[in-house]
Amino acid sequence: MLISSVFRVCVTQYLKCLSVMASRPSSDMAAFREEFAKSKHVVILTGAGVSAESGIPTFRGAGGYWRRWRAQDLATPEAFSANPSLVWEFYSYRREVVLSKQPNKAHYAIAECQKRLANQGRRVSVITQNIDQLHQAAGAVDVTELHGSLFKVRCLKCGTVRVDRNSPIVPALAGKGAPDPEAEEARIPEKDLPRCHQVGCDSLARPHVVWFGEGLDGGVIRHAESELEECDLCLVVGTSSVVYPAAMFAPSVASRGVTVAEFNMEETSATEKFGYHFSGPAGETVPLALAPHTTEDGK
């Protein structure tokens, strides 16, 4: 009886192991490439990890501070209302950092793939959580920016949004925004901070980004959801899958039977929901995944 009982326990544990193994995502790049070759509408969802390789600070995790503040302390409507000069110093610093960086191999691979497949009558939609516009700098078009952009500003009064890539964005912010914890606040008068350019307005403007405590733009969300509902292949690149609602996008796609491939330095809480997981720097794995397939017609 004892031997029989032990045997049953062993068999049960063995079957559980087989089940876990069967549910693990594949790392077979050749198999993924076959699915990529057949796809007609690819959605690529990107997060901070894809830009980290370009030297863009993520402001998340240990050490993610600017001066003495976490991003969560400054990227809020309340912080801007209380001290717009300090918040604009923070964003001016971030703008200047991004302006000094270049897209990396992952950005270029995505942009090249989008252009190449468009010539074949296929579609590549880029949806990003990043606000650095490095996808556009690499040549990607029609990028859906879930969280806005560092290079757009919005009027607090009339809501007008404009693109602004000036460096510095206003003269009063020249040389300001140093991340040194000992740096003194600039305390810039509100009249010298970025303002609305609409005739007759001239109200204070804020960064056109989604801050903590704010919801994403409804139109942007609907567009992203439409792209995800229509895709037949989804890539998740450099995202921790913890920032909602974007964290639910790829799992939702996977739940309807569409292949999802995750490209990340490490596994995430959503990894087991996906068909593929490729570990390593996106600048190495993404170009390999999106390179021209032998079956492409080369139009």
Side-chain angles (χ1 to χ4, degrees):
M1 289 292 291
L2 179 59
I3 294 176
S4 177
S5 177
V6 171
F7 177 75
R8 284 197 299 272
V9 170
C10 290
V11 170
T12 299
Q13 293 300 321
Y14 175 69
L15 292 175
K16 285 182 178 180
C17 288
L18 287 180
S19 176
V20 170
M21 291 173 64
S23 67
R24 298 292 300 158
S26 170
S27 58
D28 187 338
M29 182 63 79
F32 168 79
R33 297 269 297 149
E34 290 300 316
E35 296 199 47
F36 166 69
K38 298 173 184 176
S39 63
K40 300 298 183 183
H41 185 171
V42 181
V43 166
I44 303 177
L45 178 63
T46 69
V50 74
S51 291
E53 293 178 46
S54 291
I56 307 297
T58 64
F59 292 102
R60 286 190 176 275
Y65 281 75
W66 175 80
R67 294 184 184 167
R68 301 180 300 278
W69 291 275
R70 301 175 304 161
Q72 295 92 318
D73 298 326
L74 298 174
T76 71
E78 295 78 16
F80 190 75
S81 178
N83 194 339
S85 174
L86 179 65
V87 173
W88 263 119
E89 275 199 82
F90 173 55
Y91 278 94
S92 179
Y93 165 73
R94 296 184 70 177
R95 286 167 57 96
E96 297 303 315
V97 167
V98 172
L99 287 171
S100 72
K101 305 300 181 182
Q102 297 296 321
N104 60 57
K105 292 180 180 179
H107 292 113
Y108 284 116
I110 291 169
E112 190 280 329
C113 177
Q114 185 185 53
K115 181 179 180 180
R116 188 181 81 245
L117 266 59
N119 291 333
Q120 301 171 19
R122 301 161 68 190
R123 179 171 173 79
V124 175
S125 303
V126 181
I127 302 173
T128 187
Q129 296 171 278
N130 299 336
I131 60 175
D132 51 42
Q133 292 200 336
L134 287 181
H135 283 301
Q136 292 93 325
V141 298
D142 298 327
V143 178
T144 302
E145 296 172 317
L146 295 175
H147 296 157
S149 167
L150 281 172
F151 301 102
K152 293 178 182 178
V153 299
R154 183 170 81 245
C155 177
L156 286 179
K157 183 177 180 181
C158 70
T160 298
V161 177
R162 77 171 191 273
V163 175
D164 193 322
R165 297 187 68 88
N166 289 328
S167 173
I169 186 169
V170 291
L173 283 165
K176 308 300 182 183
D180 185 344
E182 303 304 317
E184 294 185 6
E185 287 187 34
R187 301 188 184 280
I188 300 169
E190 191 173 300
K191 65 181 180 63
D192 295 327
L193 293 173
R195 314 288 295 184
C196 180
H197 287 184
Q198 286 293 97
V199 176
C201 188
D202 192 42
S203 297
L204 180 64
R206 56 165 278 182
H208 184 56
V209 297
V210 178
W211 281 335
F212 292 95
E214 295 182 325
L216 273 62
D217 180 271
V220 172
I221 283 289
R222 287 190 292 274
H223 178 70
E225 290 176 340
S226 176
E227 295 288 339
L228 290 158
E229 288 170 2
E230 296 173 3
C231 76
D232 56 11
L233 180 66
C234 180
L235 282 68
V236 184
V237 184
T239 174
S240 60
S241 294
V242 297
V243 179
Y244 285 83
M248 287 303 300
F249 287 166
S252 178
V253 171
S255 71
R256 61 183 178 86
V258 174
T259 295
V260 176
E262 182 180 54
F263 297 76
N264 209 21
M265 290 297 293
E266 56 192 21
E267 294 187 0
T268 69
S269 59
T271 299
E272 291 189 2
K273 297 180 176 69
F274 303 147
Y276 295 91
H277 173 83
F278 300 103
S279 296
E284 296 177 6
T285 57
V286 172
L288 179 60
L290 299 181
H293 191 271
T294 55
T295 60
E296 290 185 30
D297 56 23
K299 288 181 182 178

